[in-house]
Amino acid sequence: MSWGNLPSALEWMMQVGQDLVDMDLDAIREYSALHAKPNGLVLQYGTAGFRTKAEHLDHVMFRMGLLAVLRSKQTKSTIGVMVTASHNPEEDNGVKLVDPLGEMLAPSWEEHATCLANAEEHEMPRMLMDISVKAAVNLQQDAFVVIGRDTRPSSKKLSQSVIDGVTVLEGQFHDYGLLTTPQLHYMVYCRNTSGQYGKATIEGYYEKLSKAFMELTKQAFCSGDEYRSLKVDCANGIGALKLREMEHYISQGLAVQLFNDGTKGKLNHLCGADFVKSHQKPPQGMEMKSNERCCSFDGDADRIVYYYLDVDGHFHLIDGDKIATLISSFLKELLLEIGESLNIGVVQTAYANGSSTRYLEEVMKVPVYCTKTGVKHLHHKAQEFDIGVYFEANGHGTVLFSKAAETKIKLAKELEDKKREAAKMLENVIDLFNQAAGDAISDMLVIEAILILKGLTVQQWDALYTDLPNRQLKVKVADRQVISTTDAERQVVTPPGLQEAINDLVKKYKLSRAFVRPSGTEDIVRVYAEADSQENADSLAHAVSLAVFQLAGGVGETPQPGF
């Protein structure tokens, strides 16, 4: 809204004010008091939305219900609200809003979310008016909100608080109940494309993905059974429920054995993608034989990593970098087959292993781009390509296809035999990816289909390149905001002297690099180091941790060597 035309701006504010009076402020105050904000609690809406201890979130949930209604009115679209804390411990919870095409909430609305969550009770009516004015919300517009939640003990009650916020502003809603985070993103995308993207039901999701998977793998089933059984660690989370529901849709093409399925054991405790990736060892509760393909989801099933034990019993992790490499190599081969000059790009973060970047650029000749950590940055960059592949090393990622790419691939189905086959495969790959968000179930099916079609074992996939040994550590600090970064988080700007210290340490090791960045959610600094040997990577990571502790206000015990 332009403030240049002052009379109309004032008229707008008066209209919004009148609309707010019509809104039943008494009901808002009354409900707000039932969902009271704890004194002194300040939260920040980050990449993952809000996350903290579940008992501190009731007021936030109610207020995000209010905000979702305003966002829905402003965009004239369905908005999603997901109650989850992903890979965090079971006693935590969180909430994030999903924008109309299944993407992350727009940055300007992240600010509104933070202001609304931190407002005192008496400020609520004014805050709602401020947001409505700043964002030019037509309060007479209808609103529709869809809600999903994970399996945490606190999630049901907290999602009811969201519903209270939606209903007090007279928004319509549909509560999907238990869903993975990517499934909610999918539902929002379907509803806002009038079903063009798919049917906005859980059956619609299973049918779309399983049909694409079965079509894709049809040609390859003469290759025997050795690839078609997969062990899945579900992190004792929602992924277990949903994969079990989906099992019979895909059983002809893939047998999945579920572990850490929530029947015993705590969510994300000693299991799940985050545990496996950061500890570089198998999850508890899974029996592994040598050379068996295994994978782990995280708590809300938007991340996946693969792994296996070799004949000597050594653990091999296949993370998001190797997943991106497998997928982009496959897509590039199909594009070459149909002769289409679509531009494909891979988007990584500074956490991507240096070997993966070199392999993609030098062997596969696929351009690689680096963005700041956080899915929204990768997703945004990936939208610049005809085919944008993005994966974080932690296993969160997907592939985006532009409308132009989808049209060209459809047209290529009219070509002769081999080209037609390749185009049909690409079309099924498009349907198999959840383009709204990284999705462990969808990514798992894509990976399994590619391994079947290419006749690759997990060891052959792993052997595409050798990861440089690396180590990630955390350093507790008094205030994470003392650290600021640039160059896609690969260089520290403040505090002074820290980047110089890191540079000096890196020079001592071969094939080495290191960077540090503040956590988006807690007062810790994350340290990443890689080098030519595990011993050197560990030593470099420890030395950088000490530099962070000394120069960035470390608290508690000084970082100790030994892992």
Side-chain angles (χ1 to χ4, degrees):
M1 184 177 73
S2 164
W3 292 95
N5 187 344
L6 200 56
S8 63
L10 288 170
E11 281 164 23
W12 177 268
M13 285 181 72
M14 285 168 72
Q15 179 59 52
V16 169
Q18 185 55 49
D19 288 343
L20 273 167
V21 170
D22 296 342
M23 235 186 220
D24 195 352
L25 291 180
D26 287 342
I28 292 170
R29 285 193 191 97
E30 189 184 320
Y31 267 86
S32 200
L34 294 174
H35 300 283
K37 179 172 99 70
N39 281 337
L41 183 69
V42 177
L43 295 169
Q44 176 83 31
Y45 192 104
T47 299
F50 292 111
R51 273 189 206 167
T52 187
K53 292 277 175 279
E55 64 265 26
H56 297 151
L57 279 168
D58 180 54
H59 72 294
V60 174
M61 297 293 172
F62 170 71
R63 294 171 184 201
M64 289 309 99
L66 301 174
L67 192 72
V69 170
L70 296 185
R71 181 66 172 153
S72 175
K73 287 174 184 286
Q74 192 229 16
T75 57
K76 301 185 176 64
S77 304
T78 296
I79 294 296
V81 181
M82 185 69 202
V83 178
T84 183
S86 187
H87 54 275
N88 279 35
E90 189 170 270
E91 54 275 14
D92 290 357
N93 217 320
V95 60
K96 59 181 180 184
L97 270 62
V98 179
D99 254 1
L101 294 180
E103 71 275 58
M104 305 294 217
L105 186 62
S108 59
W109 280 76
E110 288 185 6
E111 286 175 36
H112 297 325
T114 299
C115 292
L116 193 58
N118 295 322
E120 297 305 328
E121 296 297 319
H122 66 275
E123 297 172 325
M124 289 289 289
R126 183 179 62 77
M127 192 61 71
L128 291 169
M129 181 175 168
D130 281 357
I131 294 168
S132 301
V133 170
K134 278 181 189 157
V137 178
N138 173 7
L139 292 168
Q140 300 300 321
Q141 177 71 36
D142 289 340
F144 198 87
V145 177
V146 292
I147 299 147
R149 67 174 191 272
D150 72 10
T151 54
R152 290 163 196 273
S154 58
S155 290
K156 190 167 187 182
K157 187 169 179 291
L158 290 174
S159 72
Q160 186 53 54
S161 303
V162 174
I163 291 168
D164 287 353
V166 173
T167 49
V168 80
L169 283 190
E170 296 180 355
Q172 299 294 303
F173 71 91
H174 178 76
D175 180 9
Y176 279 102
L178 293 164
L179 281 186
T180 70
T181 296
Q183 284 173 340
L184 185 78
H185 284 258
Y186 167 90
M187 300 306 173
V188 173
Y189 198 1
C190 290
R191 282 174 177 269
N192 289 317
T193 51
S194 312
Q196 277 178 291
Y197 186 68
K199 278 205 319 228
T201 63
I202 195 66
E203 295 76 23
Y205 170 91
Y206 295 145
E207 283 161 10
K208 180 180 177 181
L209 266 61
S210 58
K211 180 171 177 283
F213 176 72
M214 298 310 290
E215 286 286 324
L216 202 49
T217 52
K218 240 189 231 168
Q219 302 98 302
F221 282 155
C222 53
S223 62
D225 289 336
E226 67 270 31
Y227 307 124
R228 294 192 331 205
S229 173
L230 175 68
K231 291 186 167 177
V232 187
D233 155 34
C234 298
N236 289 316
I238 182 70
L241 293 184
K242 297 301 158 184
L243 196 49
R244 190 142 275 151
E245 286 174 7
M246 192 178 188
E247 233 175 324
H248 72 273
Y249 288 88
I250 56 167
S251 56
Q252 297 271 283
L254 180 68
V256 288
Q257 284 177 270
L258 309 192
F259 296 85
N260 299 316
D261 64 356
T263 50
K264 55 185 189 290
K266 277 177 78 172
L267 176 70
N268 297 321
H269 183 60
L270 303 176
C271 60
D274 200 53
F275 172 83
V276 172
K277 166 76 177 152
S278 52
H279 291 83
Q280 311 233 349
K281 65 180 184 185
Q284 277 198 357
M286 184 190 269
E287 290 294 314
M288 286 176 70
K289 296 195 187 87
S290 64
N291 294 335
E292 277 184 327
R293 254 180 10 275
C294 306
C295 69
S296 284
F297 294 178
D298 71 334
D300 64 341
D302 65 358
R303 294 182 185 185
I304 184 170
V305 294
Y306 270 69
Y307 44 92
Y308 67 98
L309 292 177
D310 64 23
V311 285
D312 298 322
H314 293 137
F315 176 78
H316 293 254
L317 177 73
I318 300 179
D319 64 6
D321 299 337
K322 272 211 171 120
I323 293 172
T325 305
L326 179 76
I327 290 168
S328 47
S329 307
F330 179 68
L331 292 173
K332 181 146 191 207
E333 283 168 24
L334 289 180
L335 288 176
L336 288 171
E337 189 71 64
I338 63 172
E340 271 302 348
S341 57
L342 293 167
N343 71 326
I344 181 168
V346 176
V347 188
Q348 298 182 326
T349 70
Y351 285 106
N353 196 280
S355 293
S356 74
T357 312
R358 272 194 288 280
Y359 179 83
L360 283 162
E361 289 182 331
E362 293 168 18
V363 180
M364 291 311 303
K365 308 287 186 228
V366 174
V368 178
Y369 300 84
C370 188
T371 71
K372 283 165 69 174
T373 305
V375 180
K376 62 185 175 189
H377 303 297
L378 291 116
H379 193 91
H380 187 68
K381 185 69 184 174
Q383 289 172 321
E384 294 176 17
F385 305 97
D386 290 325
I387 300 176
V389 180
Y390 75 82
F391 271 85
E392 291 185 287
N394 64 26
H396 188 294
T398 189
V399 178
L400 306 182
F401 297 84
S402 70
K403 286 283 164 268
E406 290 191 15
T407 306
K408 281 186 176 178
I409 289 162
K410 269 198 175 68
L411 290 172
K413 283 201 314 187
E414 310 303 316
L415 301 169
E416 72 274 13
D417 290 357
K418 274 195 123 175
K419 291 187 171 186
R420 186 171 67 239
E421 280 304 301
K424 264 172 67 178
M425 274 191 198
L426 274 169
E427 206 170 40
N428 284 312
V429 169
I430 290 170
D431 278 345
L432 195 45
F433 274 112
N434 184 346
Q435 292 187 61
D439 182 337
I441 293 175
S442 152
D443 291 339
M444 175 191 83
L445 293 175
V446 171
I447 291 161
E448 291 301 312
I450 295 173
L451 294 177
I452 290 168
L453 286 163
K454 292 180 72 68
L456 285 174
T457 64
V458 68
Q459 301 89 322
Q460 288 167 323
W461 172 22
D462 188 30
L464 287 176
Y465 61 82
T466 304
D467 274 329
L468 282 169
N470 58 86
R471 178 64 65 193
Q472 293 186 44
L473 298 175
K474 298 173 185 174
V475 181
K476 283 190 178 173
V477 291
D479 178 10
R480 66 183 182 271
Q481 293 181 342
V482 300
I483 294 220
S484 62
T485 62
T486 185
D487 185 27
E489 300 176 315
R490 290 176 288 192
Q491 298 281 318
V492 173
V493 179
T494 60
L498 181 54
Q499 187 57 51
E500 291 74 11
I502 293 170
N503 293 346
D504 290 343
L505 292 167
V506 164
K507 282 177 197 158
K508 297 178 181 176
Y509 302 93
K510 285 183 189 159
L511 295 176
S512 63
R513 69 184 181 99
F515 68 90
V516 305
R517 53 178 285 272
S519 160
T521 50
E522 49 192 322
D523 282 322
I524 58 171
V525 175
R526 300 186 187 279
V527 173
Y528 178 92
E530 62 185 34
D532 60 338
S533 71
Q534 191 62 57
E535 192 184 344
N536 285 345
D538 290 349
S539 173
L540 176 57
H542 175 246
V544 171
S545 297
L546 282 175
V548 170
F549 192 85
Q550 286 155 5
L551 296 169
V555 293
E557 276 188 46
T558 308
Q560 298 299 311
F563 304 99

